Amino acid sequence: MIQLTPYLNFEGNCREAMLYYQQCLGGELRLQPVAESPMSAQMPAETGNQILHAVLEKEGKILLLGSDMLENKRIGGNSITLSIYFQQLDETQVAFEKLSQNGVVIQPLHQTFWGATLGMLTDKFGNHWIFHFSKHPNS
């Protein structure tokens, strides 16, 4: 296995969500609207502004993928949590603060008994996150 990357589904607000994630986490965002894709002729006209495929990439690593092309209604749940690891504490704190805006902090950033800094939140789009920083990355 080379890499496992989360692919988030949205109901018409993929552009808004991915721009928000870019603002919070940084990186380069590429958005492929339906209207600008080879599939546009096969899709209903009202889907033209929706996002067929989005990629948020930072430092050569893909952070998130996303799309509005969900066949069925999105059902929020607690079966998936996005766990994000940081190399610097200040970067962890800034991203946590930004992503928690208009969301719900489940557990503020705190020092754990195993020496890591950890925090949990649900963002304003209903996605669950665990933030993790450790001076010893294998902890």
Side-chain angles (χ1 to χ4, degrees), residues 36-56:
E36 297 172 18
S37 78
M39 294 183 62
S40 64
Q42 303 163 11
M43 303 294 283
E46 63 270 11
T47 64
N49 287 328
Q50 291 186 350
I51 301 301
L52 179 65
H53 184 67
V55 179
L56 180 58

mmCIF file with all atom_site columns, all heavy atoms in Angstrom, residues 36-56:
data_model
loop_
_atom_site.group_PDB
_atom_site.id
_atom_site.type_symbol
_atom_site.label_atom_id
_atom_site.label_alt_id
_atom_site.label_comp_id
_atom_site.label_asym_id
_atom_site.label_entity_id
_atom_site.label_seq_id
_atom_site.pdbx_PDB_ins_code
_atom_site.Cartn_x
_atom_site.Cartn_y
_atom_site.Cartn_z
_atom_site.occupancy
_atom_site.B_iso_or_equiv
_atom_site.pdbx_formal_charge
_atom_site.auth_seq_id
_atom_site.auth_comp_id
_atom_site.auth_asym_id
_atom_site.auth_atom_id
_atom_site.pdbx_PDB_model_num
ATOM 1   N N   . GLU A 1 36 ? -16.769 21.959 -16.402 1.00 0.00 ? 36 GLU A N   1
ATOM 2   C CA  . GLU A 1 36 ? -15.465 22.034 -17.053 1.00 0.00 ? 36 GLU A CA  1
ATOM 3   C C   . GLU A 1 36 ? -14.843 20.655 -17.250 1.00 0.00 ? 36 GLU A C   1
ATOM 4   O O   . GLU A 1 36 ? -13.649 20.539 -17.513 1.00 0.00 ? 36 GLU A O   1
ATOM 5   C CB  . GLU A 1 36 ? -14.524 22.921 -16.241 1.00 0.00 ? 36 GLU A CB  1
ATOM 6   C CG  . GLU A 1 36 ? -14.990 24.360 -16.143 1.00 0.00 ? 36 GLU A CG  1
ATOM 7   C CD  . GLU A 1 36 ? -14.149 25.192 -15.184 1.00 0.00 ? 36 GLU A CD  1
ATOM 8   O OE1 . GLU A 1 36 ? -13.018 24.773 -14.847 1.00 0.00 ? 36 GLU A OE1 1
ATOM 9   O OE2 . GLU A 1 36 ? -14.631 26.260 -14.778 1.00 0.00 ? 36 GLU A OE2 1
ATOM 10  N N   . SER A 1 37 ? -15.654 19.616 -17.148 1.00 0.00 ? 37 SER A N   1
ATOM 11  C CA  . SER A 1 37 ? -15.140 18.259 -17.280 1.00 0.00 ? 37 SER A CA  1
ATOM 12  C C   . SER A 1 37 ? -15.660 17.616 -18.565 1.00 0.00 ? 37 SER A C   1
ATOM 13  O O   . SER A 1 37 ? -16.665 18.060 -19.130 1.00 0.00 ? 37 SER A O   1
ATOM 14  C CB  . SER A 1 37 ? -15.576 17.417 -16.081 1.00 0.00 ? 37 SER A CB  1
ATOM 15  O OG  . SER A 1 37 ? -16.925 17.026 -16.228 1.00 0.00 ? 37 SER A OG  1
ATOM 16  N N   . PRO A 1 38 ? -14.996 16.563 -19.009 1.00 0.00 ? 38 PRO A N   1
ATOM 17  C CA  . PRO A 1 38 ? -15.486 15.828 -20.177 1.00 0.00 ? 38 PRO A CA  1
ATOM 18  C C   . PRO A 1 38 ? -16.867 15.205 -19.945 1.00 0.00 ? 38 PRO A C   1
ATOM 19  O O   . PRO A 1 38 ? -17.561 14.878 -20.897 1.00 0.00 ? 38 PRO A O   1
ATOM 20  C CB  . PRO A 1 38 ? -14.435 14.734 -20.382 1.00 0.00 ? 38 PRO A CB  1
ATOM 21  C CG  . PRO A 1 38 ? -13.214 15.230 -19.696 1.00 0.00 ? 38 PRO A CG  1
ATOM 22  C CD  . PRO A 1 38 ? -13.708 16.080 -18.557 1.00 0.00 ? 38 PRO A CD  1
ATOM 23  N N   . MET A 1 39 ? -17.280 15.081 -18.703 1.00 0.00 ? 39 MET A N   1
ATOM 24  C CA  . MET A 1 39 ? -18.578 14.480 -18.369 1.00 0.00 ? 39 MET A CA  1
ATOM 25  C C   . MET A 1 39 ? -19.734 15.477 -18.443 1.00 0.00 ? 39 MET A C   1
ATOM 26  O O   . MET A 1 39 ? -20.888 15.097 -18.279 1.00 0.00 ? 39 MET A O   1
ATOM 27  C CB  . MET A 1 39 ? -18.529 13.872 -16.966 1.00 0.00 ? 39 MET A CB  1
ATOM 28  C CG  . MET A 1 39 ? -17.592 12.710 -16.835 1.00 0.00 ? 39 MET A CG  1
ATOM 29  S SD  . MET A 1 39 ? -17.651 11.987 -15.185 1.00 0.00 ? 39 MET A SD  1
ATOM 30  C CE  . MET A 1 39 ? -19.346 11.439 -15.102 1.00 0.00 ? 39 MET A CE  1
ATOM 31  N N   . SER A 1 40 ? -19.455 16.747 -18.679 1.00 0.00 ? 40 SER A N   1
ATOM 32  C CA  . SER A 1 40 ? -20.500 17.773 -18.597 1.00 0.00 ? 40 SER A CA  1
ATOM 33  C C   . SER A 1 40 ? -21.687 17.494 -19.519 1.00 0.00 ? 40 SER A C   1
ATOM 34  O O   . SER A 1 40 ? -22.834 17.753 -19.146 1.00 0.00 ? 40 SER A O   1
ATOM 35  C CB  . SER A 1 40 ? -19.926 19.151 -18.870 1.00 0.00 ? 40 SER A CB  1
ATOM 36  O OG  . SER A 1 40 ? -19.436 19.230 -20.190 1.00 0.00 ? 40 SER A OG  1
ATOM 37  N N   . ALA A 1 41 ? -21.444 16.975 -20.693 1.00 0.00 ? 41 ALA A N   1
ATOM 38  C CA  . ALA A 1 41 ? -22.532 16.693 -21.642 1.00 0.00 ? 41 ALA A CA  1
ATOM 39  C C   . ALA A 1 41 ? -23.440 15.571 -21.154 1.00 0.00 ? 41 ALA A C   1
ATOM 40  O O   . ALA A 1 41 ? -24.604 15.494 -21.559 1.00 0.00 ? 41 ALA A O   1
ATOM 41  C CB  . ALA A 1 41 ? -21.957 16.349 -23.010 1.00 0.00 ? 41 ALA A CB  1
ATOM 42  N N   . GLN A 1 42 ? -22.939 14.724 -20.286 1.00 0.00 ? 42 GLN A N   1
ATOM 43  C CA  . GLN A 1 42 ? -23.706 13.594 -19.772 1.00 0.00 ? 42 GLN A CA  1
ATOM 44  C C   . GLN A 1 42 ? -24.450 13.914 -18.475 1.00 0.00 ? 42 GLN A C   1
ATOM 45  O O   . GLN A 1 42 ? -25.202 13.094 -17.971 1.00 0.00 ? 42 GLN A O   1
ATOM 46  C CB  . GLN A 1 42 ? -22.775 12.407 -19.518 1.00 0.00 ? 42 GLN A CB  1
ATOM 47  C CG  . GLN A 1 42 ? -21.997 11.968 -20.727 1.00 0.00 ? 42 GLN A CG  1
ATOM 48  C CD  . GLN A 1 42 ? -20.822 11.088 -20.338 1.00 0.00 ? 42 GLN A CD  1
ATOM 49  O OE1 . GLN A 1 42 ? -20.694 10.649 -19.203 1.00 0.00 ? 42 GLN A OE1 1
ATOM 50  N NE2 . GLN A 1 42 ? -19.944 10.841 -21.294 1.00 0.00 ? 42 GLN A NE2 1
ATOM 51  N N   . MET A 1 43 ? -24.207 15.092 -17.935 1.00 0.00 ? 43 MET A N   1
ATOM 52  C CA  . MET A 1 43 ? -24.761 15.455 -16.635 1.00 0.00 ? 43 MET A CA  1
ATOM 53  C C   . MET A 1 43 ? -25.870 16.492 -16.800 1.00 0.00 ? 43 MET A C   1
ATOM 54  O O   . MET A 1 43 ? -25.848 17.282 -17.742 1.00 0.00 ? 43 MET A O   1
ATOM 55  C CB  . MET A 1 43 ? -23.656 16.036 -15.746 1.00 0.00 ? 43 MET A CB  1
ATOM 56  C CG  . MET A 1 43 ? -22.463 15.115 -15.541 1.00 0.00 ? 43 MET A CG  1
ATOM 57  S SD  . MET A 1 43 ? -22.845 13.635 -14.607 1.00 0.00 ? 43 MET A SD  1
ATOM 58  C CE  . MET A 1 43 ? -22.918 14.316 -12.976 1.00 0.00 ? 43 MET A CE  1
ATOM 59  N N   . PRO A 1 44 ? -26.837 16.520 -15.871 1.00 0.00 ? 44 PRO A N   1
ATOM 60  C CA  . PRO A 1 44 ? -27.875 17.557 -15.909 1.00 0.00 ? 44 PRO A CA  1
ATOM 61  C C   . PRO A 1 44 ? -27.254 18.953 -15.801 1.00 0.00 ? 44 PRO A C   1
ATOM 62  O O   . PRO A 1 44 ? -26.272 19.153 -15.089 1.00 0.00 ? 44 PRO A O   1
ATOM 63  C CB  . PRO A 1 44 ? -28.731 17.250 -14.679 1.00 0.00 ? 44 PRO A CB  1
ATOM 64  C CG  . PRO A 1 44 ? -28.428 15.837 -14.316 1.00 0.00 ? 44 PRO A CG  1
ATOM 65  C CD  . PRO A 1 44 ? -27.019 15.586 -14.766 1.00 0.00 ? 44 PRO A CD  1
ATOM 66  N N   . ALA A 1 45 ? -27.805 19.915 -16.500 1.00 0.00 ? 45 ALA A N   1
ATOM 67  C CA  . ALA A 1 45 ? -27.266 21.276 -16.533 1.00 0.00 ? 45 ALA A CA  1
ATOM 68  C C   . ALA A 1 45 ? -27.135 21.888 -15.143 1.00 0.00 ? 45 ALA A C   1
ATOM 69  O O   . ALA A 1 45 ? -26.194 22.626 -14.874 1.00 0.00 ? 45 ALA A O   1
ATOM 70  C CB  . ALA A 1 45 ? -28.141 22.158 -17.419 1.00 0.00 ? 45 ALA A CB  1
ATOM 71  N N   . GLU A 1 46 ? -28.072 21.579 -14.245 1.00 0.00 ? 46 GLU A N   1
ATOM 72  C CA  . GLU A 1 46 ? -28.041 22.176 -12.903 1.00 0.00 ? 46 GLU A CA  1
ATOM 73  C C   . GLU A 1 46 ? -26.853 21.704 -12.058 1.00 0.00 ? 46 GLU A C   1
ATOM 74  O O   . GLU A 1 46 ? -26.571 22.261 -11.005 1.00 0.00 ? 46 GLU A O   1
ATOM 75  C CB  . GLU A 1 46 ? -29.354 21.941 -12.154 1.00 0.00 ? 46 GLU A CB  1
ATOM 76  C CG  . GLU A 1 46 ? -29.687 20.493 -11.884 1.00 0.00 ? 46 GLU A CG  1
ATOM 77  C CD  . GLU A 1 46 ? -30.511 19.823 -12.983 1.00 0.00 ? 46 GLU A CD  1
ATOM 78  O OE1 . GLU A 1 46 ? -30.671 20.406 -14.073 1.00 0.00 ? 46 GLU A OE1 1
ATOM 79  O OE2 . GLU A 1 46 ? -30.983 18.700 -12.752 1.00 0.00 ? 46 GLU A OE2 1
ATOM 80  N N   . THR A 1 47 ? -26.140 20.673 -12.516 1.00 0.00 ? 47 THR A N   1
ATOM 81  C CA  . THR A 1 47 ? -24.972 20.207 -11.763 1.00 0.00 ? 47 THR A CA  1
ATOM 82  C C   . THR A 1 47 ? -23.679 20.886 -12.217 1.00 0.00 ? 47 THR A C   1
ATOM 83  O O   . THR A 1 47 ? -22.613 20.598 -11.676 1.00 0.00 ? 47 THR A O   1
ATOM 84  C CB  . THR A 1 47 ? -24.792 18.674 -11.892 1.00 0.00 ? 47 THR A CB  1
ATOM 85  O OG1 . THR A 1 47 ? -24.523 18.358 -13.265 1.00 0.00 ? 47 THR A OG1 1
ATOM 86  C CG2 . THR A 1 47 ? -26.008 17.926 -11.400 1.00 0.00 ? 47 THR A CG2 1
ATOM 87  N N   . GLY A 1 48 ? -23.749 21.790 -13.186 1.00 0.00 ? 48 GLY A N   1
ATOM 88  C CA  . GLY A 1 48 ? -22.561 22.410 -13.775 1.00 0.00 ? 48 GLY A CA  1
ATOM 89  C C   . GLY A 1 48 ? -21.610 23.053 -12.787 1.00 0.00 ? 48 GLY A C   1
ATOM 90  O O   . GLY A 1 48 ? -20.391 22.971 -12.946 1.00 0.00 ? 48 GLY A O   1
ATOM 91  N N   . ASN A 1 49 ? -22.123 23.696 -11.733 1.00 0.00 ? 49 ASN A N   1
ATOM 92  C CA  . ASN A 1 49 ? -21.263 24.354 -10.751 1.00 0.00 ? 49 ASN A CA  1
ATOM 93  C C   . ASN A 1 49 ? -20.814 23.419 -9.637  1.00 0.00 ? 49 ASN A C   1
ATOM 94  O O   . ASN A 1 49 ? -19.970 23.795 -8.819  1.00 0.00 ? 49 ASN A O   1
ATOM 95  C CB  . ASN A 1 49 ? -21.972 25.567 -10.138 1.00 0.00 ? 49 ASN A CB  1
ATOM 96  C CG  . ASN A 1 49 ? -22.054 26.708 -11.134 1.00 0.00 ? 49 ASN A CG  1
ATOM 97  O OD1 . ASN A 1 49 ? -21.186 26.877 -11.973 1.00 0.00 ? 49 ASN A OD1 1
ATOM 98  N ND2 . ASN A 1 49 ? -23.117 27.486 -11.041 1.00 0.00 ? 49 ASN A ND2 1
ATOM 99  N N   . GLN A 1 50 ? -21.385 22.232 -9.584  1.00 0.00 ? 50 GLN A N   1
ATOM 100 C CA  . GLN A 1 50 ? -20.976 21.287 -8.552  1.00 0.00 ? 50 GLN A CA  1
ATOM 101 C C   . GLN A 1 50 ? -19.587 20.740 -8.873  1.00 0.00 ? 50 GLN A C   1
ATOM 102 O O   . GLN A 1 50 ? -19.131 20.763 -10.012 1.00 0.00 ? 50 GLN A O   1
ATOM 103 C CB  . GLN A 1 50 ? -21.988 20.160 -8.425  1.00 0.00 ? 50 GLN A CB  1
ATOM 104 C CG  . GLN A 1 50 ? -23.302 20.635 -7.856  1.00 0.00 ? 50 GLN A CG  1
ATOM 105 C CD  . GLN A 1 50 ? -24.255 19.491 -7.596  1.00 0.00 ? 50 GLN A CD  1
ATOM 106 O OE1 . GLN A 1 50 ? -24.033 18.363 -7.996  1.00 0.00 ? 50 GLN A OE1 1
ATOM 107 N NE2 . GLN A 1 50 ? -25.343 19.799 -6.902  1.00 0.00 ? 50 GLN A NE2 1
ATOM 108 N N   . ILE A 1 51 ? -18.920 20.245 -7.846  1.00 0.00 ? 51 ILE A N   1
ATOM 109 C CA  . ILE A 1 51 ? -17.548 19.756 -7.994  1.00 0.00 ? 51 ILE A CA  1
ATOM 110 C C   . ILE A 1 51 ? -17.556 18.258 -8.271  1.00 0.00 ? 51 ILE A C   1
ATOM 111 O O   . ILE A 1 51 ? -18.075 17.461 -7.492  1.00 0.00 ? 51 ILE A O   1
ATOM 112 C CB  . ILE A 1 51 ? -16.713 20.065 -6.731  1.00 0.00 ? 51 ILE A CB  1
ATOM 113 C CG1 . ILE A 1 51 ? -16.675 21.575 -6.474  1.00 0.00 ? 51 ILE A CG1 1
ATOM 114 C CG2 . ILE A 1 51 ? -15.308 19.490 -6.851  1.00 0.00 ? 51 ILE A CG2 1
ATOM 115 C CD1 . ILE A 1 51 ? -16.088 22.405 -7.609  1.00 0.00 ? 51 ILE A CD1 1
ATOM 116 N N   . LEU A 1 52 ? -16.976 17.912 -9.411  1.00 0.00 ? 52 LEU A N   1
ATOM 117 C CA  . LEU A 1 52 ? -16.822 16.512 -9.790  1.00 0.00 ? 52 LEU A CA  1
ATOM 118 C C   . LEU A 1 52 ? -15.710 15.874 -8.966  1.00 0.00 ? 52 LEU A C   1
ATOM 119 O O   . LEU A 1 52 ? -15.847 14.759 -8.468  1.00 0.00 ? 52 LEU A O   1
ATOM 120 C CB  . LEU A 1 52 ? -16.509 16.407 -11.289 1.00 0.00 ? 52 LEU A CB  1
ATOM 121 C CG  . LEU A 1 52 ? -16.289 15.020 -11.851 1.00 0.00 ? 52 LEU A CG  1
ATOM 122 C CD1 . LEU A 1 52 ? -17.567 14.205 -11.758 1.00 0.00 ? 52 LEU A CD1 1
ATOM 123 C CD2 . LEU A 1 52 ? -15.827 15.112 -13.300 1.00 0.00 ? 52 LEU A CD2 1
ATOM 124 N N   . HIS A 1 53 ? -14.599 16.614 -8.816  1.00 0.00 ? 53 HIS A N   1
ATOM 125 C CA  . HIS A 1 53 ? -13.448 16.077 -8.096  1.00 0.00 ? 53 HIS A CA  1
ATOM 126 C C   . HIS A 1 53 ? -12.619 17.234 -7.539  1.00 0.00 ? 53 HIS A C   1
ATOM 127 O O   . HIS A 1 53 ? -12.339 18.201 -8.242  1.00 0.00 ? 53 HIS A O   1
ATOM 128 C CB  . HIS A 1 53 ? -12.595 15.227 -9.038  1.00 0.00 ? 53 HIS A CB  1
ATOM 129 C CG  . HIS A 1 53 ? -11.442 14.551 -8.391  1.00 0.00 ? 53 HIS A CG  1
ATOM 130 N ND1 . HIS A 1 53 ? -11.588 13.543 -7.451  1.00 0.00 ? 53 HIS A ND1 1
ATOM 131 C CD2 . HIS A 1 53 ? -10.107 14.729 -8.537  1.00 0.00 ? 53 HIS A CD2 1
ATOM 132 C CE1 . HIS A 1 53 ? -10.396 13.128 -7.059  1.00 0.00 ? 53 HIS A CE1 1
ATOM 133 N NE2 . HIS A 1 53 ? -9.479  13.833 -7.702  1.00 0.00 ? 53 HIS A NE2 1
ATOM 134 N N   . ALA A 1 54 ? -12.233 17.120 -6.278  1.00 0.00 ? 54 ALA A N   1
ATOM 135 C CA  . ALA A 1 54 ? -11.393 18.118 -5.618  1.00 0.00 ? 54 ALA A CA  1
ATOM 136 C C   . ALA A 1 54 ? -10.203 17.416 -4.968  1.00 0.00 ? 54 ALA A C   1
ATOM 137 O O   . ALA A 1 54 ? -10.346 16.310 -4.438  1.00 0.00 ? 54 ALA A O   1
ATOM 138 C CB  . ALA A 1 54 ? -12.183 18.872 -4.555  1.00 0.00 ? 54 ALA A CB  1
ATOM 139 N N   . VAL A 1 55 ? -9.050  18.085 -5.016  1.00 0.00 ? 55 VAL A N   1
ATOM 140 C CA  . VAL A 1 55 ? -7.832  17.556 -4.403  1.00 0.00 ? 55 VAL A CA  1
ATOM 141 C C   . VAL A 1 55 ? -7.187  18.661 -3.589  1.00 0.00 ? 55 VAL A C   1
ATOM 142 O O   . VAL A 1 55 ? -6.900  19.736 -4.115  1.00 0.00 ? 55 VAL A O   1
ATOM 143 C CB  . VAL A 1 55 ? -6.816  17.080 -5.475  1.00 0.00 ? 55 VAL A CB  1
ATOM 144 C CG1 . VAL A 1 55 ? -5.541  16.564 -4.821  1.00 0.00 ? 55 VAL A CG1 1
ATOM 145 C CG2 . VAL A 1 55 ? -7.425  16.026 -6.376  1.00 0.00 ? 55 VAL A CG2 1
ATOM 146 N N   . LEU A 1 56 ? -6.960  18.413 -2.313  1.00 0.00 ? 56 LEU A N   1
ATOM 147 C CA  . LEU A 1 56 ? -6.193  19.324 -1.462  1.00 0.00 ? 56 LEU A CA  1
ATOM 148 C C   . LEU A 1 56 ? -4.870  18.641 -1.168  1.00 0.00 ? 56 LEU A C   1
ATOM 149 O O   . LEU A 1 56 ? -4.840  17.559 -0.566  1.00 0.00 ? 56 LEU A O   1
ATOM 150 C CB  . LEU A 1 56 ? -6.936  19.639 -0.161  1.00 0.00 ? 56 LEU A CB  1
ATOM 151 C CG  . LEU A 1 56 ? -6.216  20.583 0.804   1.00 0.00 ? 56 LEU A CG  1
ATOM 152 C CD1 . LEU A 1 56 ? -5.910  21.932 0.153   1.00 0.00 ? 56 LEU A CD1 1
ATOM 153 C CD2 . LEU A 1 56 ? -7.034  20.789 2.066   1.00 0.00 ? 56 LEU A CD2 1
#
